[in-house]
């Protein structure tokens, strides 16, 4: 088990949302995220058990699910296929939210005039 923890600490850094580790990001990839200062922060600490030295967190200004989804979607678009293999031109987060809102408005209109 110790060998696994050493390798984890050597190659990865925790990704933390609302004080919970939700995954790990490879350190080489984490380097690319540093330029997105409005989306990610890199607090230095020795929390989260294995003493990584720092972790990646979403910027505190991204307080809602919608804000987080749009911001991370924009980062994914910027990094593109070159760094994130397998992107299939999915609908962006902001477009998805717009479509959902439109569906809600359409349903409300149908119910109102039925």
């Amino acid at each position: 088990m110790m060998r696994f923890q050493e390798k984890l600490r050597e190659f990865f850094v925790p990704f933390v949302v609302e004080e919970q580790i939700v995954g790990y990001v490879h350190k080489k990839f984490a380097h690319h995220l540093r330029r997105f200062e409005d989306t990610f922060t890199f607090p230095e600490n020795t929390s989260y058990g294995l003493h990584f030295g720092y972790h990646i967190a979403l910027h505190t200004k991204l307080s809602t699910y919608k804000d987080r989804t749009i911001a991370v979607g924009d980062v994914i678009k910027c990094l593109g296929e070159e760094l994130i293999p397998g992107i299939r031109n999915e609908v962006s987060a902001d477009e998805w939210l717009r479509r959902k809102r439109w569906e809600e408005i359409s349903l409300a209109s149908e119910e109102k005039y039925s």
Side-chain angles (χ1 to χ4, degrees):
M1 185 65 160
M2 187 59 139
R3 179 104 170 108
F4 170 76
Q5 290 177 345
E6 290 170 5
K7 287 294 183 187
L8 185 65
R9 189 174 49 241
E10 181 180 348
F11 294 106
F12 295 91
V13 60
F15 180 49
V16 177
V17 178
E18 294 182 0
E19 304 299 321
Q20 297 291 318
I21 296 175
V22 295
Y24 293 87
V25 177
H26 196 281
K27 286 182 178 181
K28 288 182 181 180
F29 186 76
H31 169 75
H32 295 285
L33 298 178
R34 286 189 178 271
R35 71 180 196 214
F36 299 97
E37 297 173 353
D38 289 340
T39 302
F40 300 105
T41 60
F42 295 80
E44 293 185 20
N45 64 31
T46 56
S47 314
Y48 304 108
L50 298 175
H51 307 290
F52 288 88
Y54 72 99
H55 65 272
I56 300 170
L58 292 172
H59 197 287
T60 55
K61 74 173 186 163
L62 303 172
S63 58
T64 68
Y65 172 78
K66 178 181 175 182
D67 292 340
R68 294 172 185 167
T69 301
I70 291 170
V72 172
D74 289 344
V75 169
I76 291 169
K77 275 194 268 184
C78 287
L79 294 177
E81 184 68 35
E82 179 182 332
L83 293 175
I84 307 173
I87 292 178
R88 299 178 305 267
N89 293 322
E90 289 94 348
V91 174
S92 67
D94 52 343
E95 179 62 24
W96 182 84
L97 289 168
R98 273 195 292 275
R99 288 181 186 180
K100 289 304 260 182
R101 183 68 184 135
W102 179 252
E103 288 174 15
E104 291 170 7
I105 291 169
S106 296
L107 286 174
S109 294
E110 285 178 22
E111 290 173 3
K112 182 178 180 180
Y113 297 109
S114 300

